[in-house]
Amino acid sequence: MGFNFFLSLLVLSLLLKPLASQQPNTDGFYVSQFLQKMGLSSSSQLYNFSAPVCSWQGVFCDSKKEYVINLVASGLELSGSIPDTTIGKLNKLEILDLSNNNITGLPSDLWSLGSLKNLNLSHNQISGSLPNNIGNFGLLESVDLSSNNFSGEIPAAISSLSSLRVLKLDQNGFEMGIPSGILGCQSLVEIDLSTNRLNGSLPDGFGAAFTKLKILNLAGNEIHGRDFRFRRDEIHYYS
Ligand SMILES: *[C@@H]1O[C@H](CO)[C@@H](O)[C@H](O)[C@H]1NC(C)=O
Ligand SMILES: *[C@@H]1O[C@H](CO)[C@@H](O)[C@H](O)[C@H]1NC(C)=O
Ligand SMILES: *[C@@H]1O[C@H](CO)[C@@H](O)[C@H](O)[C@H]1NC(C)=O
Ligand SMILES: *[C@@H]1O[C@H](CO)[C@@H](O)[C@H](O)[C@H]1NC(C)=O
Ligand SMILES: *[C@@H]1O[C@H](CO)[C@@H](O)[C@H](O)[C@H]1NC(C)=O
């Protein structure tokens, strides 16, 4: 019995070996932990976890092949809440696209990714509110959280996102007024806040704040005071 037990342990460890082959505390380890803990299933043949992370589909690394710069894992049926010590540890990450999965929650260490430029979490089932920590993403150029289950207020700390060009928070349950902090996002080209539960009036100065704005969609909310002045010929405005 003891021998058989030992044998099954040995077989088991051999079977599991390819899954555990990334060195701990490397970007390859964090990405493989993420994919496996999120139940990568039908698409698992896309990944060879024994090979270097930089060769995996949707992964782009720095020139020394040490750090993951882009991670695109869209439409892989990843499901559940993202655990800490996975993607939140990819300190050099600039592009994160996890759209079209069944993700339900975000890890608290996500907000430490200060290099992030593009974040796309659209078409998941993420619940809860957006923390003010989003203000840590000072280099963020595009954020798409559309078609999720976010609730609570849009955090005032978005005022720190001065490079933000695209803000898509549509098809969620965001509540209360649009924070005046949005006036700090002076690079915005597209704002889509449609189909939420936003109310109140637009912050003073909203009409003049965004000199580069091309698309503004506020439809499907309870926002009042829309009589601000736009250069309407230049902006596609949906109310
Ligand atoms: C996976 O990668 C390892 C290491 O690069 C390689 O030896 C092995 O042949 C690969 N397996 C498949 C199925 O491609
Ligand atoms: C993901 O969600 C879709 C629609 O909500 C559902 O049909 C599908 O079964 C889910 N897939 C997984 C892997 O949970
Ligand atoms: C986010 O991903 C979705 C689905 O993959 C795509 O349609 C959308 O354009 C992306 N958003 C941005 C801002 O690129
Ligand atoms: C959406 O979030 C609310 C709480 O804000 C929760 O009660 C509800 O179950 C969530 N729905 C889904 C589909 O996750
Ligand atoms: C906005 O909606 C909340 C409930 O979701 C309500 O408490 C608040 O009074 C509303 N504010 C305005 C200005 O209508």
Side-chain angles (χ1 to χ4, degrees), residues 18 21 45 47-52 55-56:
S21 63
Q45 72 279 2
Y47 295 91
N48 177 352
F49 289 116
S50 305
S55 69
W56 301 354

Side-chain angles (χ1 to χ4, degrees), residues 39 41 76-80 101-102 125:
S41 53
L76 297 179
E77 295 180 7
L78 302 175
S79 65
N101 285 293
N102 288 18
Q125 285 120 44

Side-chain angles (χ1 to χ4, degrees), residues 15-36:
L15 282 175
L16 291 178
K17 195 161 185 270
L19 299 182
S21 63
Q22 299 296 316
Q23 289 298 313
N25 306 323
T26 60
D27 279 10
F29 177 77
Y30 298 131
V31 177
S32 67
Q33 288 287 301
F34 167 68
L35 292 170
Q36 291 169 41

